[in-house]
Each structure stands twice: as C-alpha cells, then as structure tokens.
Amino acid sequence: MRVRLTLPQLHSFLKLTELCAFGDAAVALGVSQPALRRTIQLIEARLGARLFDRDTRKVSLTPAGEKLRPLAEQILTHY
C-alpha cells in the first residue's frame, strides 16, 4: 500500500519532532495550533498509526514516529 504525504505535511511533522510542543511548532510554521493538530491527525489517519504520544505540554515520538522521522528528513533533503 502506498501512502502519499505532502511536503508541507512532512515539514510539519519534522517541526513538531524538533520542538516537541504543538504551540511552539505552530508558531514556527506560521499556522494555528488547531491547524497543526489537524495536519498531524490527518498524517496519522493516512498511515494508520499514532506518531506522537501527547500530554498537556509536550509530545514525544512513538516507535512509528521514530521510523517516519529519517524517511521524512531524507525526502525533504532531496526536495
């Protein structure tokens, strides 16, 4: 099965992995926090896996998120 994610979605995913907080990542990306949450939820729905464990202030990568990170970095590096 082939899953298609956009470059902006991958960029959003990586920014969240870098900053570990939806608020900080949203500011850095120039989007609202709800928009970033929707983007991450859409990615997770398309992949069929949770990418982040969330608490009230921080997010951390799940094993699925850890697998996606190097792939996303490689794709964005090439583009």
Side-chain angles (χ1 to χ4, degrees):
M1 180 175 88
R2 183 175 254 178
V3 177
R4 294 180 187 239
L5 299 176
T6 66
L7 295 177
Q9 287 172 330
L10 292 174
H11 183 65
S12 295
F13 166 77
L14 288 176
K15 187 57 69 174
L16 185 55
T17 66
E18 175 189 338
L19 298 177
C20 300
F22 274 95
D24 295 341
V27 169
L29 293 165
V31 300
S32 69
Q33 189 170 335
L36 178 58
R37 285 187 185 277
R38 283 190 301 272
T39 298
I40 298 302
Q41 288 170 346
L42 177 64
I43 295 168
E44 290 176 330
R46 284 190 180 164
L47 295 175
R50 288 182 54 96
L51 300 174
F52 295 96
D53 287 323
R54 299 152 171 90
D55 69 19
T56 57
R57 293 195 182 261
K58 293 276 184 187
V59 296
S60 59
L61 285 170
T62 64
E66 290 287 353
K67 287 182 181 179
L68 179 59
R69 182 195 299 189
L71 296 172
E73 289 171 342
Q74 183 180 15
I75 290 166
L76 289 177
T77 298
H78 288 290
Y79 288 95

